[in-house]
């Protein structure tokens, strides 16, 4: 009889398990996760609800926002005394601040038709190439050296900007020349940005006023806060005035308790400050806010808090008011009777800042015209709000930018080129999942390649293991 070739046995016993082991290893569950060093952090909830109302009386316009928040975060950028040093807490970082010292915020973008794509795609159009806190964000050295963003504007990072302000959508550096930027702004190619902050503006009844063109710019004038820091001596410039307040500082345990007395003292302002006293016997845990609040001036100070913006029973309730026509057409969008406007809203909660916020689809706002949100016409100086809210869902946008959405890497790029709006095509949950996927795009792509390679190795192992079976065998001597 022919002898049986047993050389296939070792290959099958050793080669196949090794190849399958490689394939299993590349499928490991721990590869993808939050990575703060790469600015990756995913919130536990990908969507959240927001309620909105609007009213106007011909002279002023009011916007009311209501959203759930487990706690009210009103402390922002604090200086804590510890063993002879003043330590900063609450600067921008990936994900929530571990001490809760990052303020809640609501921001609203407004357009009157000057930025046509905004009404179709909302805030996506403002997210350009290599934005700050993206995994591939531009380095401070690169931005500082840029002739416009760095040398002219004095910036060190890439923030929101409109597509038309760049000659190349895939290169943040390709800023249009100064004359073109000025002409765009004159033509209304900018977005008005209402920016309310629970710590840096609300205690004095103010809101910041900004605009987005080639950068996220501030309106002319002075803002509602400035920095309380003596660079030369590494200490605060001001402290609470003990003659007015009975104290020089806050206490760390109160700041991090999660409780807020809105009628008490939790901020530093021009009205309650005095010069810092270096000779005082400062104790560990003494806290002085790193931001000094002041009344904003000029165009930047046109938005105010109407009534009391408070957190109560698990909800923030914030109403902002502004003149319909501020007289600053290069900074603000003018609201008019029978006008229709596009808006997009973002909310920051749970002690998170920067890009870790929730954003809305674009919605239309009408003053006497049919729209998604119908502003109530009133005849007095203050709205009498009803329970008739406009309900919207906000979503976590992830690392999705306009260059990606308009590129071949995005399956919907042709729809964008054809002017198909995003809201009828994608739900908030879909956009949140897409944004989360793009957070881990590099890891997913790398995992795919590893899986492919492991699969090929497995196939090679099986092939090598089975080759001896198909080799010609000697028949032996039949005599």
């Amino acid at each position: 009889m022919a002898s049986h070739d047993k050389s296939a046995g070792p290959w099958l016993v050793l080669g196949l398990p090794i190849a399958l082991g490689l394939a299993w290893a590349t499928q490991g569950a721990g590869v993808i996760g939050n990575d703060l060093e790469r600015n990756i952090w995913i919130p536990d909830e990908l969507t959240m609800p927001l309620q909105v109302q609007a009213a106007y009386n011909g002279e002023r316009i009011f916007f009311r926002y209501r959203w759930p928040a487990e706690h009210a975060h009103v402390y922002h950028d604090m200086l804590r005394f510890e063993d002879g040093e003043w330590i900063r807490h609450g600067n921008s970082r990936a994900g929530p601040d571990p001490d809760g010292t990052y303020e809640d915020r609501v921001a609203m973008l407004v357009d009157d038709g000057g930025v046509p794509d905004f009404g179709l795609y909302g805030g996506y159009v403002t997210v350009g190439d290599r934005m700050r806190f993206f995994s591939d964000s531009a380095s401070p050295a690169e931005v500082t050296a840029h002739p416009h963003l760095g040398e002219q504007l004095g910036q060190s990072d890439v923030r929101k900007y409109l597509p038309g302000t760049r000659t190349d959508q895939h290169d943040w550096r390709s800023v249009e020349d100064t004359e073109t930027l000025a002409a765009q702004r004159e033509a209304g190619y900018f977005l008005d940005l209402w920016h309310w902050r629970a710590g840096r503006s609300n205690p004095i009844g103010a809101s910041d006023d900004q605009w987005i063109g080639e950068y996220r710019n501030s309106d002319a004038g002075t803002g509602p806060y400035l920095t309380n820091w003596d660079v030369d001596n590494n200490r605060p410039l001001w402290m609470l005035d003990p003659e007015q307040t009975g104290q020089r500082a806050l206490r760390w345990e109160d700041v991090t308790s999660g409780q807020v007395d809105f009628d008490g003292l939790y901020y530093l302002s021009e009205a309650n400050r005095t010069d810092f006293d270096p000779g005082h016997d400062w104790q560990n845990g003494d806290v002085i806010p790193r931001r000094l609040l002041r009344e904003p001036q000029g165009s930047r100070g046109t938005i105010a808090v109407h009534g009391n913006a408070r957190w109560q029973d698990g909800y923030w309730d914030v109403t902002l008011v502004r003149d319909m026509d501020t007289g600053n057409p290069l900074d603000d969008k003018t609201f008019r009777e029978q006008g229709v406007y596009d808006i997009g809203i973002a909310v920051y909660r749970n002690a998170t800042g920067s890009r870790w916020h929730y954003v809305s689809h674009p919605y239309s706002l009408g003053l006497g015209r049919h729209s998604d949100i119908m502003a109530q016409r009133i005849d007095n100086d203050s709205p009498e709000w009803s329970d008739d809210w406009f309900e919207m869902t906000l979503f976590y946008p992830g690392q999705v930018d306009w260059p990606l959405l308009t590129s071949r890497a995005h399956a919907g790029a042709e729809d964008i080129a054809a002017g198909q709006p995003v809201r009828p095509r994608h739900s908030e949950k879909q956009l949140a999942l897409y944004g989360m996927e793009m957070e881990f795009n590099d890891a997913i792509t790398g995992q795919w390649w590893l899986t492919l390679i492991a699969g090929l190795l497995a196939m090679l192992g099986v092939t090598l293991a089975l080759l001896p079976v198909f080799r010609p065998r000697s028949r032996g001597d039949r005599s």
Side-chain angles (χ1 to χ4, degrees), residues 266-296:
Y266 62 95
Y267 60 93
L268 180 70
S269 72
E270 288 185 325
N272 65 21
R273 63 107 187 253
T274 189
D275 291 340
F276 179 78
D277 181 5
H280 177 68
D281 183 20
W282 297 101
Q283 301 297 307
N284 285 351
D286 283 342
V287 176
I288 296 178
R290 190 174 170 272
R291 301 296 183 178
L292 176 77
L293 306 188
R294 62 181 180 183
E295 289 296 325

Side-chain angles (χ1 to χ4, degrees), residues 38 40 42 134-135 355 396-401 404-405 407 409-410 431-445:
R38 297 184 61 242
I40 295 177
I42 306 299
F134 272 50
S135 295
R355 69 176 184 83
Y396 174 66
Q399 292 195 48
V400 177
D401 59 35
L404 167 67
L405 292 176
S407 72
H410 177 221
L431 293 176
L433 292 174
Y434 180 59
M436 186 173 63
E437 177 185 329
M438 295 313 300
E439 291 271 6
F440 303 111
N441 186 57
D442 292 342
I444 291 172
T445 302

Side-chain angles (χ1 to χ4, degrees), residues 253-433:
E253 57 268 24
D254 295 328
V255 169
T256 58
S257 70
Q259 305 299 315
V260 182
D261 178 6
F262 285 96
D263 295 317
L265 188 64
Y266 62 95
Y267 60 93
L268 180 70
S269 72
E270 288 185 325
N272 65 21
R273 63 107 187 253
T274 189
D275 291 340
F276 179 78
D277 181 5
H280 177 68
D281 183 20
W282 297 101
Q283 301 297 307
N284 285 351
D286 283 342
V287 176
I288 296 178
R290 190 174 170 272
R291 301 296 183 178
L292 176 77
L293 306 188
R294 62 181 180 183
E295 289 296 325
Q297 302 295 324
S299 178
R300 194 170 173 183
T302 58
I303 305 172
V305 174
H306 183 72
N308 294 318
R310 297 287 179 93
W311 177 92
Q312 188 175 4
D313 298 330
Y315 283 85
W316 271 107
D317 197 329
V318 177
T319 299
L320 302 180
V321 59
R322 198 205 76 182
D323 287 346
M324 294 175 63
D325 184 353
T326 66
N328 305 304
L330 297 182
D331 292 342
D332 303 317
K333 297 294 185 176
T334 299
F335 292 95
R336 297 182 174 88
E337 179 71 52
Q338 292 298 305
V340 175
Y341 305 85
D342 296 309
I343 67 169
I345 301 175
V347 166
Y348 303 73
R349 63 176 185 173
N350 300 330
T352 58
S354 302
R355 69 176 184 83
W356 289 276
H357 57 357
Y358 296 86
V359 302
S360 78
H361 272 305
Y363 290 94
S364 61
L365 168 77
L367 277 63
R369 295 264 305 280
H370 181 74
S371 59
D372 297 320
I373 304 171
M374 299 290 292
Q376 175 189 359
R377 184 66 158 90
I378 61 176
D379 297 322
N380 47 36
D381 294 332
S382 182
E384 294 181 2
W385 301 112
S386 67
D387 292 330
D388 188 18
W389 293 93
F390 181 84
E391 311 270 352
M392 62 176 69
T393 299
L394 309 189
F395 61 93
Y396 174 66
Q399 292 195 48
V400 177
D401 59 35
W402 191 242
L404 167 67
L405 292 176
T406 56
S407 72
R408 295 176 61 185
H410 177 221
E414 292 185 0
D415 294 323
I416 292 177
Q420 298 293 324
V422 63
R423 185 149 60 97
R425 302 178 64 85
H426 295 292
S427 69
E428 293 85 358
K429 186 64 176 292
Q430 287 175 323
L431 293 176
L433 292 174

Side-chain angles (χ1 to χ4, degrees), residues 179 242-243 339 454:
E179 292 75 16
E243 294 186 2

